[in-house]
Amino acid sequence: MGRDARKVYDEAKIQLVDSLDSFIRINHRLPLLLSEIGLTQNAISYDLDDIFYVTLIPDDPKDNSYFLKFGYHSGNSDYYISKTGEWHNMYKTPSLFVDNDTLQRIYHIKRWLADDKFVRIVDSIRPNTSISFDYYVWEDDSIVFIHRYDKDTGIYMKGWAVSGKYFILFNEFGDWEYKDKDGNIYHKFWNYRENDSLIYRPDPKPKFIKRAK
C-alpha cells in the first residue's frame, strides 16, 4: 500500500471508530445496523465510501464493547478490539478470530453452488408482499425456500429467500445454513425488513485462539 493510500486507509479507520463511539455515547447502545452511522448495507457486510468494507460484531452488552473487521474490498483486513482500543492486522495480531472468515467461507459456498449443474430445490413459493432490504436486490417477486447442493462434495446451502420467477438469483433472509466440502457447517442470520419493521440479529461474538508459534 502506497503512502497516500495508507493515509486514506488509516484516516478512515479512525473516523469509523470515532463515529461508532460517538453513537454509543449518545444512544447507550451499539448500532443495530451500521447504516445508523452512515454506512451502506450490502448483502455481505457494509460499505464505507464505496472503497472499504466493515463488519461489526458485538462483544459485551454490559459495556457496549465490540469488534470491527475493516479493509479494502480487494485486500486484507485489520481488526479492532474496542476493549483495548487497539488495531491489529491479520499478520501481527496476537490471537485470531476463529470465525472471522465465516462470511468469506459462506461466500465461497455460494459461488460454488451458483453453477446451474448443481441440484436446486425450490419449495413453499408464495408472492412477496412483506419482505424488503436496505440494499439492492436482484428481484423480489416471490418468497421461496431454496436448497442448493452438490451431490459429489456434500456442499449445500438452504434457507428462505426473495427471488424472481426463475429462482436463479436470490437474496437470503433470516436463518441460513451452509456446509462446505470438509463438512463444516456455518449459520448466518441475514437481516431484513418485514412490513417495514427491522428483523435483526447480530453475528455471534467470535471466539479466540492463540497463534501457533
Side-chain angles (χ1 to χ4, degrees), residues 1-20:
M1 191 185 303
R3 182 181 300 175
D4 290 344
R6 168 56 67 180
K7 181 179 179 182
V8 171
Y9 186 84
D10 290 339
E11 287 176 350
K13 292 196 304 185
I14 293 170
Q15 179 185 0
L16 175 62
V17 171
D18 286 347
S19 297
L20 262 173

Side-chain angles (χ1 to χ4, degrees), residues 13-81:
K13 292 196 304 185
I14 293 170
Q15 179 185 0
L16 175 62
V17 171
D18 286 347
S19 297
L20 262 173
D21 290 347
S22 176
F23 182 94
I24 294 168
R25 284 194 301 271
I26 293 170
N27 297 280
H28 309 290
R29 64 172 176 85
L30 290 172
L32 296 179
L33 298 176
L34 287 177
S35 52
E36 290 188 273
I37 61 168
L39 276 66
T40 303
Q41 189 174 190
N42 58 47
I44 295 295
S45 56
Y46 289 84
D47 289 326
L48 176 61
D49 299 332
D50 294 323
I51 302 173
F52 309 106
Y53 71 90
V54 181
T55 301
L56 172 70
I57 304 176
D59 179 14
D60 188 345
K62 295 178 182 177
D63 59 9
N64 289 315
S65 55
Y66 59 89
F67 306 100
L68 277 178
K69 182 178 181 181
F70 174 91
Y72 283 109
H73 284 289
S74 58
N76 295 324
S77 305
D78 287 349
Y79 303 94
Y80 179 75
I81 303 173

Side-chain angles (χ1 to χ4, degrees), residues 128 131 133 137 139-140 142-143 160-164 169-171 173:
N128 179 22
I131 303 300
F133 298 86
V137 298
E139 294 183 78
D140 59 358
S142 305
I143 295 174
W160 289 95
V162 298
S163 175
L169 299 173
F170 55 85
N171 289 82
F173 69 90

Side-chain angles (χ1 to χ4, degrees), residues 41 91 94 102 116 160 174:
Q41 189 174 190
Y91 301 108
T102 294
D116 283 341
W160 289 95

Side-chain angles (χ1 to χ4, degrees), residues 167-213:
F167 313 117
I168 296 173
L169 299 173
F170 55 85
N171 289 82
E172 302 102 316
F173 69 90
D175 284 302
W176 269 73
E177 182 174 295
Y178 306 83
K179 184 178 180 181
D180 66 20
K181 62 182 177 60
D182 297 318
N184 301 308
I185 295 177
Y186 310 99
H187 291 271
K188 169 68 178 169
F189 188 90
W190 298 98
N191 304 325
Y192 63 100
R193 292 186 181 274
E194 186 167 12
N195 296 319
D196 235 13
S197 296
L198 177 63
I199 311 299
Y200 170 81
R201 187 184 302 166
D203 289 328
K205 177 180 175 181
K207 303 172 185 177
F208 288 91
I209 58 172
K210 293 296 182 182
R211 271 192 184 277
K213 294 182 179 180

